[in-house]
């Protein structure tokens, strides 16, 4: 009886297993290489990340304070910046100085683009700056009362003033209005332009010269000195005139025109 011998196909199976192992090993190497490359790129990107304007500013201020005050940068503390500030990166070296007496405020300036910022700093172990002592100023003398003109009675608009309508009073200087009157003579031949209550200081804008000469009236013209040689004549006023104003006059007999200054009711001083 013939016996058929069968042999197990070991060789092909081993070849397939070896190829599978080779494939897995190569794939593992590729994955490892890819992982290493990705990690390296991430680290490189982190290392090369641009420094923000705020970070560059804080670093520059820290180094500047440490150098100017001869201290270690580790003891320099920068106050937090306002989060709303948009600090642009400076294209040139930052310029720093101390604009005030205290060393706790550093002024940082950039030329391109142009901006400046004040930064509060402190150095560990240093006492805060003492405020500057200002010498006491000598006390100013108390203001002295001032003698001014006030209304003695209620004054109504259009009223012609005289000495009986006003009086002198001592009032505190700080409470006085501007252009206050101080002499009774200032209200002579004057009229009120607005109502004024009693005891109210009179101002120059409260009065105006009253009309003492009216056009067409005959007035007395005086020429010369009242204490010496003087000539008087009756002439016609060619225009209205208030106290101190210069008006035109006419001699009716000769028809000649003259000029004079109003000095009182229907009284004119020749020029």
């Amino acid at each position: 009886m013939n016996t058929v011998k069968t042999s197990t196909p070991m060789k092909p199976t081993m070849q397939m297993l070896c190829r599978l192992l080779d494939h897995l090993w190569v794939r593992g190497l590729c994955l490892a290489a890819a992982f290493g490359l990705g990690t390296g790129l991430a680290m490189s990107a982190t290392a090369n990340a641009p420094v923000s304007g705020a970070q560059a500013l804080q670093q520059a201020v820290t180094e500047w304070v440490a150098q100017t005050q001869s201290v270690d940068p580790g003891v320099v503390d920068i106050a937090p910046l306002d989060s709303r500030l948009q600090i642009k990166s400076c294209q040139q070296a930052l310029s720093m100085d101390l604009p005030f007496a205290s060393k706790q405020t550093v002024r940082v300036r950039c030329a391109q683009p142009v901006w400046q910022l004040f930064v509060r700093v402190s150095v560990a172990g240093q006492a805060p700056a003492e405020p500057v002592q200002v010498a006491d100023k000598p006390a100013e003398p108390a203001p002295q009362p001032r003698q001014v003109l006030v209304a003695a009675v209620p004054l109504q608009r259009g009223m012609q003033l005289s000495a009986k309508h006003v009086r002198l009073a001592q009032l505190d200087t700080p409470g006085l209005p501007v252009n206050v009157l101080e002499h009774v003579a200032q209200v002579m031949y004057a009229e009120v332009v607005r109502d004024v209550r009693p005891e109210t200081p009179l101002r120059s804008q409260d009065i105006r010269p009253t009309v003492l000469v009216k056009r067409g009236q005959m007035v007395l013209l005086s020429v010369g000195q009242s204490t010496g040689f003087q000539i008087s004549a009756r002439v016609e006023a060619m225009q209205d005139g208030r106290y101190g104003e210069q008006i035109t006059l006419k001699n009716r007999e000769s028809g000649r025109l003259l000029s004079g200054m109003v000095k009182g009711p229907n009284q004119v001083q020749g020029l």
Side-chain angles (χ1 to χ4, degrees):
M1 182 176 182
N2 296 329
T3 302
V4 179
K5 295 182 180 180
T6 59
S7 58
T8 304
M10 294 296 295
K11 189 173 180 179
T13 302
M14 289 299 296
Q15 291 178 351
M16 293 177 61
L17 181 60
C18 289
R19 283 198 297 269
L20 178 60
L21 290 175
D22 291 341
H23 177 71
L24 292 175
W25 181 74
V26 171
R27 186 175 181 182
L29 288 178
C30 292
L31 289 175
F35 177 77
L37 179 60
T39 304
L41 291 175
M43 294 178 62
S44 175
T46 302
N48 297 329
V51 179
S52 67
Q55 292 174 338
L57 181 143
Q58 292 177 332
Q59 182 179 355
V61 171
T62 300
E63 294 176 354
W64 185 82
V65 172
Q67 180 179 1
T68 55
Q69 300 190 26
S70 301
V71 296
D72 188 87
V75 300
V76 179
D77 184 35
I78 307 295
L81 301 176
D82 191 338
S83 58
R84 296 170 296 181
L85 290 176
Q86 300 293 331
I87 303 176
K88 297 181 180 180
S89 298
C90 191
Q91 305 302 321
Q92 301 181 9
L94 293 173
S95 173
M96 282 164 277
D97 65 343
L98 299 173
F100 310 115
S102 171
K103 295 182 179 181
Q104 296 178 346
T105 301
V106 177
R107 177 171 56 185
V108 185
R109 289 182 286 186
C110 176
Q112 184 64 34
V114 178
W115 57 261
Q116 77 170 5
L117 189 65
F118 293 90
V119 180
R120 296 286 295 176
V121 301
S122 60
V123 177
Q126 288 187 359
E130 296 182 357
V132 179
Q133 298 294 330
V134 181
D136 295 335
K137 294 183 179 180
E140 297 181 357
Q144 298 296 322
R146 183 178 169 189
Q147 181 173 269
V148 299
L149 214 59
V150 299
V153 295
L155 304 180
Q156 297 179 350
R157 180 180 179 181
M159 178 186 295
Q160 185 172 343
L161 297 177
S162 65
K164 66 181 182 180
H165 297 127
V166 296
R167 71 179 186 86
L168 292 172
Q170 298 284 342
L171 298 180
D172 292 335
T173 305
L176 290 178
V178 246
N179 301 330
V180 66
L181 304 180
E182 298 179 324
H183 306 287
V184 178
Q186 292 177 284
V187 300
M188 300 305 294
Y189 304 123
E191 64 182 25
V192 185
V193 298
R194 59 177 60 87
D195 294 345
V196 179
R197 293 180 298 177
E199 304 304 321
T200 302
L202 284 175
R203 304 168 299 172
S204 58
Q205 57 264 40
D206 293 332
I207 63 173
R208 68 177 177 182
T210 188
V211 176
L212 299 177
V213 173
K214 292 186 177 181
R215 180 180 180 181
Q217 287 185 340
M218 297 299 293
V219 299
L220 182 63
L221 172 65
S222 299
V223 180
Q225 301 295 328
S226 58
T227 57
F229 182 76
Q230 187 178 40
I231 299 177
S232 299
R234 305 289 293 183
V235 293
E236 181 184 356
M238 304 301 295
Q239 61 188 112
D240 293 345
R242 301 178 186 273
Y243 182 81
E245 289 183 343
Q246 180 178 331
I247 62 173
T248 302
L249 307 166
K250 180 180 180 180
N251 187 329
R252 286 184 175 180
E253 295 181 359
S254 64
R256 181 182 176 185
L257 294 180
L258 308 170
S259 296
M261 182 177 295
V262 179
K263 289 296 183 178
N266 295 326
Q267 295 181 10
V268 180
Q269 179 70 39
L271 299 179

